[in-house]
Amino acid sequence: MIERYSLPEMKQIWSDENKYQLWLDVELAACEAWTDAGVVPESDMILLRSAQYNHSRMMEILDVTKHDVTAFLQSITENIGEEGRWLHLGMTSSDMLDTALAIQLKQAGELIQRDLDKAIESVSRQAKMHKNTIMMGRTHGIHAEPITFGLKMALWVQELKRQRDRMKAATDDIAVGKISGPVGTHATVPPHIETKVCEVLGISVAEVSNQVIQRDRHAYFVSVLALVAGSLEKFATEIRSLQRSEIHEVEEPFESGQTGSSSMPHKRNPELSERICGLSRLIRGHSVSAIENISLWGERDISHSSVERLILPDSCMALNYMLTIFTRVMDGLVVLPDEMWRNLESSRGLIFSQRVLLSLIDKGLSREDAYKIVQVNAMDAWDNGKDFRDLMRLDEQVKSVLEPTEIEELFAYEYYVRFVDDTFEKIGL
């Protein structure tokens, strides 16, 4: 991931420093397990506990071996004594690589869960603050019926909570290790060694493996990253829509001295939300690559490896960045209730058409007759810029079945949002 979209904590998780330290942690945990089993002498284990890899030396060896694991191991063993022979005992490269990768993904997943908690907290504040801030609901981009901005935010809160649950499940699913040898038979490393290693490292054991941990786990993890990104894209798209000049009901935070355009000084663009939408496309594409990695030849090939070196760190870093940006937007979101009211009134009462229709039916008119009365007036209001409410007040057919006070009661915006409190109570906001 390029520096622009990399934040320090996630960047550290995917750093070479952390990766190679985890490799060493796996190797030493295996040596400890062999020591407990009476294979590695305690005196050798005391020396092994101080073992360190040498990154610069590893890179030199890699130029020759073209194999990062053998280069890593040699950078350790050439600086220690005979006890170095116990490193990697009975193991294949993937025992170390996949187990260490599982820990990295667990670390990344837990960070993303914390990011989601912050996003949920931020959106929840907006929901509670604007629970009764009335605005126009839109379907197909057209005025439908009134809602509140808080209700829109409550919808987002619940979606983020679902994504947090999915993220936890995917993190738990990927946090498994395997120390089962070249094809997963435990022929060279018994199951109790694997159990001990994973216990020490704080992860579960893959119940059965071949040479690798199966890539459906990784595909599930990246797919959940893509799902979370999809929700953020949905929210960001709505912010972008509501910030349009013609609607102008919310604005992203815009700091003093910030510029929106090199040529147009008036511009305030929703560029943070646009950035979220763009990065979502990246992660969505990576989820396809992760699914394609599931199918490997026999007990393993290496076709997945090059793909994962890109998609796993990039997807995690991109989503960490997106969540951070999204929370920043929500914390500083400018909500414009006056503009919401202006838009609400801009349809000149047309949104009350259903209420009038149902009232006429309730008074005994057939649905067809009631619909025709309302639609004729609605189209007059739509085409000629008239107020639908005034047309209803003057319509003789309407007045013949509805009292003036009954007609006025039909034009109350509060009718549409009278159950908002019930929804908030149901979801604990």
Side-chain angles (χ1 to χ4, degrees):
M1 178 57 64
I2 65 174
E3 193 69 27
R4 178 180 175 91
Y5 305 125
S6 304
L7 299 178
E9 194 171 358
M10 186 65 82
K11 187 177 177 181
Q12 171 58 28
I13 290 171
W14 291 102
S15 66
D16 282 350
E17 177 188 11
N18 188 49
K19 178 175 72 172
Y20 296 139
Q21 182 58 51
L22 289 174
W23 287 13
L24 183 59
D25 290 345
V26 174
E27 291 290 344
L28 293 181
C31 289
E32 294 280 7
W34 283 117
T35 300
D36 291 345
V39 175
V40 175
E42 179 62 34
S43 58
D44 284 359
M45 192 63 236
I46 292 172
L47 296 171
L48 282 168
R49 289 180 187 125
S50 62
Q52 294 291 327
Y53 73 90
N54 184 312
H55 184 266
S56 59
R57 179 59 183 144
M58 176 184 169
M59 294 300 104
E60 293 174 358
I61 300 168
L62 183 60
D63 283 341
V64 177
T65 66
K66 305 298 189 289
H67 194 292
D68 52 3
V69 174
T70 57
F72 171 77
L73 293 169
Q74 186 177 333
S75 79
I76 301 171
T77 57
E78 66 182 17
N79 289 314
I80 57 178
E82 292 184 359
E83 70 276 8
R85 70 187 188 278
W86 303 118
L87 287 170
H88 213 62
L89 183 64
M91 295 166 58
T92 188
S93 295
S94 292
D95 287 327
M96 180 188 73
L97 294 173
D98 276 7
T99 302
L101 178 60
I103 300 171
Q104 276 185 293
L105 289 167
K106 179 184 178 184
Q107 292 171 344
E110 289 173 345
L111 176 54
I112 289 169
Q113 288 173 63
R114 294 197 296 273
D115 290 338
L116 279 163
D117 286 335
K118 293 176 184 176
I120 290 167
E121 182 181 348
S122 181
V123 180
S124 295
R125 281 197 299 270
Q126 292 287 0
K128 288 182 278 192
M129 188 184 310
H130 293 287
K131 181 173 71 170
N132 298 311
T133 302
I134 197 165
M135 66 177 295
M136 180 53 70
R138 298 173 175 90
T139 58
H140 305 274
I142 305 299
H143 284 197
E145 291 183 350
I147 60 170
T148 72
F149 188 68
L151 190 62
K152 185 187 289 286
M153 295 296 98
L155 191 78
W156 294 8
V157 168
Q158 291 305 104
E159 186 163 342
L160 286 168
K161 286 181 178 179
R162 292 193 298 275
Q163 299 292 25
R164 181 186 58 192
D165 292 343
R166 293 181 184 119
M167 196 69 242
K168 183 181 185 308
T171 302
D172 291 344
D173 189 71
I174 197 62
V176 297
K178 60 88 61 181
I179 309 291
S180 56
V183 290
T185 61
H186 289 285
T188 55
V189 54
H192 67 84
I193 298 296
E194 179 181 64
T195 300
K196 182 67 175 179
V197 170
C198 291
E199 179 184 330
V200 168
L201 296 173
I203 56 177
S204 301
V205 177
E207 301 89 346
V208 59
S209 59
N210 44 34
Q211 192 174 95
V212 294
I213 292 172
Q214 301 309 286
R215 260 44 198 180
D216 64 288
R217 293 181 183 270
H218 303 73
Y220 175 36
F221 186 88
V222 180
S223 294
V224 171
L225 298 184
L227 280 172
V228 178
S231 289
L232 296 181
E233 181 181 14
K234 165 187 166 180
F235 306 152
T237 298
E238 182 69 1
I239 292 169
R240 292 167 59 192
S241 176
L242 294 178
Q243 189 166 333
R244 285 182 295 164
S245 301
E246 295 80 6
I247 296 177
H248 194 215
E249 293 180 349
V250 302
E251 288 182 357
E252 280 187 1
F254 195 84
E255 298 176 6
S256 176
Q258 184 176 342
T259 58
S261 167
S262 62
S263 59
M264 295 171 283
H266 71 279
K267 295 280 279 179
R268 287 190 183 186
N269 302 325
E271 60 94 7
L272 296 175
S273 296
E274 290 170 342
R275 207 179 302 174
I276 289 169
C277 291
L279 289 173
S280 178
R281 300 168 191 166
L282 176 77
I283 301 176
R284 191 155 52 245
H286 287 346
S287 71
V288 175
S289 300
I291 291 169
E292 292 180 344
N293 272 351
I294 294 173
S295 179
L296 303 176
W297 286 12
E299 278 53 65
R300 179 245 189 164
D301 63 58
I302 203 171
S303 61
H304 64 289
S305 177
S306 55
V307 181
E308 289 177 355
R309 289 173 191 264
L310 294 172
I311 68 172
L312 294 181
D314 278 14
S315 295
C316 291
M317 283 193 270
L319 186 57
N320 170 235
Y321 178 83
M322 290 168 66
L323 280 162
T324 301
I325 290 296
F326 174 71
T327 300
R328 173 179 154 195
V329 168
M330 295 310 300
D331 282 343
L333 190 69
V334 179
V335 180
L336 303 166
D338 289 345
E339 295 299 319
M340 291 177 175
W341 183 259
R342 178 182 63 80
N343 288 328
L344 201 64
E345 280 288 293
S346 68
S347 60
R348 302 176 302 281
L350 278 169
I351 56 98
F352 296 110
S353 66
Q354 187 191 60
R355 286 209 71 196
V356 177
L357 170 67
L358 295 177
S359 294
L360 293 177
I361 293 172
D362 189 55
K363 291 293 184 178
L365 272 68
S366 70
R367 181 174 184 83
E368 290 72 21
D369 289 343
Y371 194 97
K372 184 175 182 180
I373 292 169
V374 176
Q375 187 184 43
V376 166
N377 284 283
M379 293 304 101
D380 189 11
W382 192 297
D383 294 335
N384 300 306
K386 298 177 182 179
D387 194 298
F388 175 76
R389 290 162 292 199
D390 290 339
L391 294 176
M392 288 294 95
R393 293 177 183 118
L394 297 173
D395 189 284
E396 294 300 329
Q397 292 174 289
V398 173
K399 290 195 296 181
S400 69
V401 294
L402 290 173
E403 296 293 331
T405 55
E406 291 178 312
I407 295 174
E408 292 305 317
E409 288 172 359
L410 299 178
F411 303 142
Y413 286 118
E414 292 73 21
Y415 170 85
Y416 296 97
V417 296
R418 67 192 189 280
F419 294 119
V420 168
D421 284 343
D422 296 70
T423 299
F424 271 65
E425 183 177 348
K426 182 165 55 179
I427 63 176
L429 274 180

